[in-house]
Amino acid sequence: MKSSIQYKTTPTKLQLGLNMAPKPLIILVPIRWCLLLLVVLIMIISSGPTGAVDAADPQAKLLNQGCSQYNATDFSDFYANLNATFSDLRAQLGGNKRFATGQQARGSDPVYAMAQCRDYLSTADCTACFTAAEKQIRNCSAANGARVIYDGCFLRYYLIL
């Protein structure tokens, strides 16, 4: 004889879905958006910090130059004074200064000169910019005054009369 007793069972956790591991959330992004994001990140990383000046950048782009239409009277005195004044300016700028003045008053053509570099240039870059300015200003020959303006520095000289 069979027993007619029925056992009442409750559903198991597995049957209710409570014991199942959570499914990972997968967001499908079109491949073109991934590529665009990758390109933007590469551009940002390769551009480096904004507003910074690269090392070894004297910023020697010529912005302006002017030469006096009048010449010195005694060329030998003028060139001796000009060379001595430029040497003095170079020594001052090489000593971690960004503004320098100098003068030589030997003979009949005394020279006064000044140079300035931008504050953010290193000493080496300031000196390199001054070298470029000195070379450019010598194109004025024996003019009794001249100026050269670069984006990183400027140089000016004139005769003291």
Side-chain angles (χ1 to χ4, degrees):
M1 169 173 235
K2 286 193 181 184
S3 115
S4 63
I5 302 176
Q6 291 185 350
Y7 296 101
K8 212 173 196 186
T9 61
T10 57
T12 64
K13 289 182 181 178
L14 183 59
Q15 290 171 334
L16 291 175
L18 297 176
N19 217 11
M20 299 178 91
K23 292 183 180 180
L25 179 63
I26 299 175
I27 300 175
L28 298 176
V29 179
I31 190 78
R32 66 179 174 217
W33 290 107
C34 293
L35 291 175
L36 177 65
L37 180 62
L38 180 65
V39 168
V40 169
L41 287 174
I42 289 172
M43 289 173 56
I44 290 171
I45 291 171
S46 66
S47 69
T50 58
V53 176
D54 293 338
D57 180 12
Q59 299 191 349
K61 177 184 173 193
L62 181 63
L63 301 177
N64 192 311
Q65 175 181 358
C67 304
S68 173
Q69 62 184 358
Y70 303 105
N71 285 334
T73 56
D74 184 344
F75 291 170
S76 64
D77 281 347
F78 169 74
Y79 283 120
N81 289 334
L82 187 67
N83 291 338
T85 304
F86 284 169
S87 293
D88 184 29
L89 294 179
R90 178 180 304 284
Q92 290 178 52
L93 293 174
N96 209 20
K97 289 177 68 177
R98 296 295 174 263
F99 180 76
T101 61
Q103 64 183 5
Q104 282 295 328
R106 295 187 187 118
S108 62
D109 288 325
V111 174
Y112 174 80
M114 64 180 167
Q116 183 174 10
C117 291
R118 298 213 180 254
D119 286 339
Y120 54 79
L121 289 183
S122 68
T123 301
D125 289 343
C126 178
T127 304
C129 188
F130 175 79
T131 300
E134 180 183 2
K135 181 179 178 183
Q136 184 67 35
I137 211 166
R138 289 185 183 276
N139 290 333
C140 290
S141 188
N144 68 0
R147 75 179 180 293
V148 175
I149 302 171
Y150 284 89
D151 53 357
C153 66
F154 76 85
L155 174 62
R156 177 181 179 183
Y157 79 83
Y158 55 91
L159 295 180
I160 303 170
L161 301 175

